[in-house]
Amino acid sequence: MAITAQMVKELREKTGAGMMDCKKALQEVDGDMEKAIDLLREKGIAKAAKKGDRIAAEGLTSVKVNGNEAVILEVNSETDFVAKNEGFQALVQELADHLLAKKPASVEEALSQVMDNGATVEAHINAAVAKIGEKLTLRRFTVKTKTDSDAFGAYLHMGGRISVLSVLEGTTDEEAAKDVSMHIAALNPKYVSRDEVSADEVERERQVLTQQALNEGKPENIVAKMVEGRLGKYFEDVCVNDQAFVKNPDQKVRQFVESKGGKIRDFVRYEVGEGIEKREDNFAEEVMSQVKK
């Protein structure tokens, strides 16, 4: 398989490894991106890749809570300038109100629904596009429900660049739930607890760590024990319950929530543009194209 410059660039961004190391890794695994990441990690060249950490598109995320229902959503724009536009911010809130009221199962279903103003969601967004002058999209949303015995944690970071909605069971302490969401915004865990991590993912990590230890020259008779210890560190990286609480590093998040009489049921974390490939503009070429007209 031909290894393109774009593939090398993507691997560099995901691992922080050098260009030649990335190219060699891709060639060795015939262009398989995930295998190339593992190979670089095994050689100690790259850290564990976190998928979805590339911030590309602009826009806003937001959380809206209404009693025992809440919604978290992301609406994209082409530029950060538009994300600060009052009209765009109003659109985000209007969409949040609609999603909470109608609870569509998907973005596609949401776009076809009729809003209180008589227009479909898609038409309402298109009207905003006409006013603002940029492409705007409802990218994703999640609606959560709880009981009177639970608490929502709603947290917005950097004016909506990151939003988190967490649900704590067994406690109505909204301030504690917000603290948990703030922690999630900062450390970006993937799961609540270890039992949510698939066996396949654990095995893949175990294999990478094993090869990594062997490449470090560690004796085979102690590698297995080392790997299990390093797996514990991996769980701390990806499971919020196992992480040191940002407001009190001497305490695990699970312990903090238990001290409030509850437990984390689930959470959703949205970061603007994560996982979206951004169009790369060459400013010099753009200027030249205008001059030639």
Side-chain angles (χ1 to χ4, degrees):
M1 178 180 180
I3 306 303
T4 66
Q6 181 60 36
M7 292 168 66
V8 174
K9 176 176 178 291
E10 181 180 349
L11 185 57
R12 286 190 69 192
E13 290 174 344
K14 288 186 174 183
T15 65
M19 183 182 298
M20 290 309 298
D21 287 323
C22 290
K23 185 175 181 180
K24 289 177 181 177
L26 286 165
Q27 289 172 336
E28 194 168 331
V29 298
D30 198 29
D32 188 307
M33 190 63 63
E34 296 299 324
K35 288 182 179 179
I37 292 170
D38 289 349
L39 182 61
L40 289 172
R41 290 185 58 210
E42 289 167 4
K43 293 180 177 179
I45 297 173
K47 297 180 180 180
K50 292 185 177 180
K51 294 182 180 179
D53 62 356
R54 296 178 61 191
I55 309 305
E58 300 301 333
L60 286 175
T61 63
S62 188
V63 180
K64 191 174 187 68
V65 176
N66 183 15
N68 285 340
E69 299 175 337
V71 64
I72 180 171
L73 70 158
E74 178 183 357
V75 183
N76 292 134
S77 61
E78 293 183 62
T79 65
D80 182 55
F81 177 77
V82 164
K84 298 172 183 176
N85 178 289
E86 289 184 3
F88 179 76
Q89 293 171 359
L91 172 67
V92 173
Q93 294 310 308
E94 290 162 358
L95 293 175
D97 288 338
H98 175 85
L99 295 170
L100 262 182
K102 301 298 183 181
K103 302 177 186 60
S106 65
V107 170
E108 290 73 23
E109 181 180 332
L111 292 175
S112 65
Q113 289 179 333
V114 177
M115 301 182 69
D116 291 342
N117 62 7
T120 64
V121 170
E122 185 172 24
H124 188 65
I125 294 174
N126 288 340
V129 170
K131 289 180 181 179
I132 295 173
E134 280 194 12
K135 179 181 178 182
L136 310 174
T137 58
L138 170 61
R139 183 188 180 195
R140 53 182 173 169
F141 67 89
T142 301
V143 176
K144 294 289 184 183
T145 61
K146 70 174 186 66
T147 70
D148 290 337
S149 301
D150 307 327
F152 282 132
Y155 179 74
L156 270 67
H157 183 65
M158 295 175 64
R161 292 292 298 179
I162 300 173
S163 288
V164 179
L165 173 62
S166 63
V167 186
L168 269 54
E169 287 184 339
T171 178
T172 58
D173 192 332
E174 293 182 356
E175 195 61 34
K178 183 178 180 180
D179 284 344
V180 169
S181 290
M182 180 182 68
H183 171 98
I184 291 168
L187 270 70
N188 194 16
K190 294 168 63 178
Y191 308 102
V192 172
S193 58
R194 297 186 181 199
D195 57 11
E196 292 182 2
V197 186
S198 71
D200 287 344
E201 183 171 346
V202 174
E203 183 56 30
R204 176 187 170 190
E205 190 65 21
R206 181 179 282 110
Q207 290 177 4
V208 169
L209 293 173
T210 298
Q211 192 59 51
Q212 196 176 73
L214 291 172
N215 289 346
E216 291 170 0
K218 300 295 190 296
E220 290 190 25
N221 62 331
I222 68 167
V223 164
K225 186 175 181 180
M226 286 183 58
V227 167
E228 292 310 308
R230 291 180 178 181
L231 265 179
K233 180 61 172 66
Y234 170 73
F235 285 126
E236 289 178 8
D237 288 340
V238 300
C239 301
V240 63
N241 274 344
D242 288 340
Q243 293 178 335
F245 187 35
V246 291
K247 296 187 77 172
N248 179 11
D250 294 329
Q251 187 179 40
K252 298 290 188 183
V253 175
R254 174 182 53 77
Q255 295 171 323
F256 167 71
V257 177
E258 287 177 349
S259 73
K260 305 298 180 179
K263 66 177 183 178
I264 303 174
R265 189 185 82 192
D266 57 15
F267 68 85
V268 181
R269 180 187 188 277
Y270 284 168
E271 188 163 349
V272 170
E274 57 190 347
I276 297 177
E277 191 73 36
K278 187 174 182 179
R279 179 172 62 96
E280 295 183 6
D281 292 324
N282 184 311
F283 183 68
E285 289 182 1
E286 182 179 334
V287 171
M288 288 304 297
S289 69
Q290 295 298 317
V291 171
K292 291 176 181 178
K293 287 183 178 180

